[in-house]
Amino acid sequence: MNKPIDIVFMGTPDFAVPALKKLGGSGRSVSLVVTQPDRPKGRGRKVQPPPVKKAALTLGYDVSQPGSMREPAFLDRLAGIRPDIIVVIAYGRILPKSLLDLPRFGCINIHGSLLPRYRGPAPIQWAVINGETETGVTAMQMNEGLDTGDILLTAKTPILPDDTAGTLHDRLAEMGATLLLETIDRIETGRIRPVPQDPDLATYAPLLRKTDGHIDWSRDAEAIDHLVRGMDPWPGTFTFLEDKRLKIFKVRTVPNDPSDSGAAPGTVIRSFPGELRVAAGSGVISVLELQGASGKRLTVQDFLRGCPIPPGTILT
């Protein structure tokens, strides 16, 4: 009987947790889980472990949290394990070549995109922001480049009209877990054919900043809807009512009333009671959920009861 392959798992955020749990449930040998160090988080800045560490300890795995991929003690530990495969999912660090070359089957990455499109750290968010209708997950043989390795397998899913980056994240995380097991199965049995990426098709998905969420009302309504959904749950979108910042959580596009077609972008236009309609560069946005500077997240009906916003008001 062949010896089962030995796996080292590297990951940090929630996106990697379903794959780790699925590996654990499959009975495969996971010798070590590597994740980022515990860090302060939230308003209280309390030091917290990353989600992968919590899951790994629950599953009974050994955990390593090196401050650097080049720490001698960490590299010695991996060399002693001599894993057959290193699985990397949203770990958050570039792996040195010495590490990439260590396992006999190399390092396998699960990326939340259909490579080579949306290489980089925020592929799910940018796919929604850019109005894509389809995305997926890719199993990739890692090399020294940024998401440039050969493609092993992919799985696709449509981006639904109500999808946010959050809902898509959760769906892709589960898909990635399933794809990982299939990839390992095929590697073990020699039924996989790596396919080089076409660099001419490559795009990049950079990290988002909080300032990216400032709504530009001169854009068309559909683009604003994509932005709000792509920035949910983080970093979120916002606009200003005079000097007050309003967080915008949910919107939808609505037909443009011809009588308001000349309204400047950002102008609050006439609407039914309990509605907040805003003129965009092209089309109209109806705001459904929002939050004032010091309040809580409310439906637009509840918000307007305490803070009416009359037609003609300009949001910036």
Side-chain angles (χ1 to χ4, degrees):
M1 181 177 177
N2 293 332
K3 175 181 174 292
I5 68 169
D6 195 73
I7 300 168
V8 165
F9 186 95
M10 301 180 69
T12 301
D14 288 317
F15 186 73
V17 170
L20 179 60
K21 289 182 175 178
K22 207 145 201 168
L23 274 178
S26 72
R28 293 188 173 279
S29 172
V30 178
S31 294
L32 183 66
V33 174
V34 184
T35 189
Q36 294 281 327
D38 298 356
R39 292 200 169 94
K41 194 174 179 182
R43 289 188 174 181
R45 306 306 294 163
K46 184 179 177 183
V47 175
Q48 298 182 39
V52 162
K53 180 181 179 181
K54 295 179 184 176
L57 295 177
T58 301
L59 292 164
Y61 293 136
D62 289 337
V63 173
S64 175
Q65 296 178 277
S68 163
M69 288 286 90
R70 301 179 188 278
E71 284 183 5
F74 171 67
L75 294 175
D76 287 347
R77 187 174 184 183
L78 281 188
I81 294 172
R82 296 195 64 80
D84 298 302
I85 292 179
I86 294 179
V87 171
V88 183
I89 304 179
Y91 176 67
R93 287 282 186 277
I94 299 295
L95 271 57
K97 189 172 187 307
S98 59
L99 210 63
L100 295 171
D101 292 341
L102 180 64
R104 66 182 173 116
F105 292 123
C107 296
I108 307 301
N109 175 243
I110 300 294
H111 196 259
S113 72
L114 296 174
L115 293 172
R117 292 178 58 77
Y118 296 104
R119 292 172 176 170
I124 299 172
Q125 294 90 336
W126 283 109
V128 179
I129 292 169
N130 289 340
E132 300 286 356
T133 58
E134 182 182 67
T135 186
V137 284
T138 299
M140 176 189 64
Q141 186 83 52
M142 294 178 70
N143 60 18
E144 291 181 271
L146 178 62
D147 302 327
T148 55
D150 290 352
I151 294 171
L152 301 176
L153 289 175
T154 60
K156 298 179 180 179
T157 184
I159 298 178
L160 305 174
D162 289 334
D163 264 331
T164 65
T167 62
L168 197 55
H169 167 283
D170 294 348
R171 190 157 78 246
L172 292 178
E174 294 294 338
M175 290 174 60
T178 301
L179 191 72
L180 173 63
L181 288 192
E182 184 180 353
T183 302
I184 293 173
D185 284 343
R186 291 195 180 207
I187 288 174
E188 281 184 304
T189 55
R191 295 180 295 115
I192 203 154
R193 185 175 65 87
V195 177
Q197 296 186 36
D198 182 348
D200 291 339
L201 301 178
T203 60
Y204 183 62
L207 276 175
L208 291 166
R209 304 162 300 175
K210 289 185 178 180
T211 53
D212 293 327
H214 191 176
I215 294 174
D216 177 359
W217 293 104
S218 69
R219 301 192 68 189
D220 68 64
E222 191 173 9
I224 293 172
D225 173 55
H226 294 157
L227 178 72
V228 173
R229 292 190 290 114
M231 304 288 273
D232 180 12
W234 195 92
T237 49
F238 61 93
T239 189
F240 287 97
L241 172 60
E242 296 178 343
D243 61 344
K244 298 174 183 175
R245 182 182 173 115
L246 299 179
K247 294 183 180 179
I248 306 295
F249 293 101
K250 191 173 183 180
V251 302
R252 64 181 168 90
T253 60
V254 294
N256 195 9
D257 186 330
S259 64
D260 290 313
S261 58
T267 302
V268 175
I269 60 177
R270 292 179 301 108
S271 60
F272 296 108
E275 275 194 315
L276 178 60
R277 294 191 176 196
V278 185
S282 173
V284 174
I285 284 291
S286 178
V287 178
L288 302 180
E289 292 182 11
L290 69 167
Q291 178 181 344
S294 57
K296 61 180 181 179
R297 179 170 174 167
L298 297 171
T299 65
V300 67
Q301 294 87 351
D302 289 340
F303 183 91
L304 293 176
R305 270 195 283 272
C307 182
I309 304 178
T313 301
I314 303 291
L315 302 180
T316 58

